[in-house]
Amino acid sequence: MGEVFGPLIFVLFAESGVKSMIHAFDLKGPRVPVYAMLGYIILAAMFACLSFYLSSKLFIQDETFQLLNLIFTPIAIGIIMAIKGKWLRKNDGEIIRLDTFWYGLVFGIVFVGIRYFSLRNFEV
């Protein structure tokens, strides 16, 4: 469960941080999607590395389930972020790119991928 809920908690934390930065620095105007995607990739990588301090081992021990986690967790994060974005649009909330399926999916792929490839042979 930690390999699924961990990335979800971090993506929601990232979303909150990005919204706070937009307000703090009064960032207005056009934003380039490529730069936004690069920023979310960097943010996901940073959060994945930060997550090593919370747990320096994979919660899922079976190799088959670890590989399934690499596929399904990013998809689940993308779906959850898309649902959240749809809910925010419906309720006139503030939307950022991370509130879409594709940006959530990429965040999840980077986060889960870094944890998997960094920790799969790591013994505590």
Side-chain angles (χ1 to χ4, degrees):
M1 295 305 270
E3 292 295 328
V4 176
F5 289 114
L8 180 60
I9 290 168
F10 277 105
V11 75
L12 294 174
F13 185 67
E15 180 203 25
S16 174
V18 169
K19 285 183 180 179
S20 296
M21 285 180 19
I22 288 171
H23 290 295
F25 295 109
D26 196 27
L27 300 173
K28 302 286 186 222
R31 293 181 180 90
V32 180
V34 173
Y35 294 152
M37 184 66 75
L38 181 61
Y40 289 129
I41 288 171
I42 292 169
L43 197 57
M46 288 173 25
F47 279 141
C49 293
L50 179 65
S51 75
F52 295 155
Y53 289 106
L54 299 175
S55 175
S56 59
K57 68 176 191 162
L58 291 171
F59 294 108
I60 301 171
Q61 298 301 318
D62 186 305
E63 182 72 26
T64 303
F65 289 120
Q66 288 175 356
L67 294 173
L68 289 173
N69 182 57
L70 280 173
I71 297 167
F72 291 111
T73 297
I75 293 171
I77 290 172
I79 290 170
I80 290 168
M81 294 309 291
I83 291 169
K84 185 173 187 284
K86 185 176 181 180
W87 182 84
L88 286 171
R89 278 184 205 85
K90 186 177 181 183
N91 294 306
D92 295 325
E94 184 179 10
I95 305 294
I96 61 173
R97 284 189 163 88
L98 196 53
D99 294 322
T100 64
F101 174 78
W102 293 108
Y103 284 87
L105 176 75
V106 169
F107 188 98
I109 289 169
V110 172
F111 188 97
V112 173
I114 287 175
R115 281 196 54 86
Y116 173 75
F117 290 111
S118 297
L119 298 177
R120 68 182 170 145
N121 294 321
F122 183 71
E123 295 291 328
V124 178

